[in-house]
Amino acid sequence: MNNQQESFEEKFQNLNNTADMTSQFDPRDIQNNKVMAILAYFGILVLIPIFAAKESKFARFHANQGLILFIAGIAYSIVYNIIVTILLSISWRLYWVSYILSLVWLFFLVLAIIGIINAAQGKAKELPLVGSFKILKV
């Protein structure tokens, strides 16, 4: 069991091995706005830190990542529905493909969990793949 836990922790660390910008943020800002940063990864709740914590650079950092994740999720949902509609119009027997395509949601879930863990630990680390994109000014 301990080996499996270490293996999971190593995998998580490798996946979460992205740019760490925590040192650029005020420790008081981090401590005071952890909850706002965590809210950024719960879909539409990203709007709360965007509007309620405008002055917090830490919350805005995580709100930016949460917003990108939210927009990517909506875009994927639209593309997924179009593809499934096309496949089902060809044949109902292709429905199994939609199950395979729906597994991409696990990727979005993993990224959200990584973001929540980073925010709860007071870290400002970019999410894998999507963290380098900037929409909000920090």
Side-chain angles (χ1 to χ4, degrees):
M1 178 79 175
N2 196 19
N3 250 353
Q4 290 175 346
Q5 185 177 6
E6 287 178 22
S7 176
F8 173 76
E9 289 175 10
E10 287 174 10
K11 288 178 185 176
F12 177 77
Q13 290 300 327
N14 288 338
L15 183 63
N16 199 24
N17 191 17
T18 57
D20 188 350
M21 296 176 268
T22 309
S23 61
Q24 297 175 8
F25 297 94
D26 180 19
R28 286 179 294 161
D29 179 26
I30 293 171
Q31 193 61 34
N32 294 336
N33 290 290
K34 280 185 183 180
V35 173
M36 288 293 184
I38 291 169
L39 283 176
Y41 297 100
F42 288 97
I44 195 72
L45 295 181
V46 70
L47 295 175
I48 295 172
I50 288 174
F51 294 115
K54 291 179 182 178
E55 71 288 342
S56 170
K57 290 185 177 189
F58 181 72
R60 289 190 65 81
F61 173 85
H62 286 285
N64 179 70
Q65 294 194 125
L67 183 61
I68 292 168
L69 201 56
F70 182 61
I71 291 170
I74 290 173
Y76 176 73
S77 180
I78 292 168
V79 170
Y80 170 81
N81 285 318
I82 291 170
I83 290 172
V84 168
T85 301
I86 291 170
L87 290 174
L88 292 179
S89 68
I90 295 170
S91 172
W92 65 269
R93 292 184 179 123
L94 293 174
Y95 196 75
W96 61 272
V97 176
S98 70
Y99 288 119
I100 294 170
L101 291 175
S102 67
L103 293 177
V104 173
W105 282 112
L106 292 175
F107 174 71
F108 289 108
L109 178 64
V110 167
L111 288 181
I113 290 170
I114 289 171
I116 291 167
I117 290 170
N118 286 337
Q121 292 177 345
K123 294 181 182 176
K125 293 186 75 166
E126 293 182 347
L127 290 176
L129 298 176
V130 298
S132 60
F133 297 102
K134 305 292 182 240
I135 294 176
L136 299 176
K137 188 176 181 181
V138 178

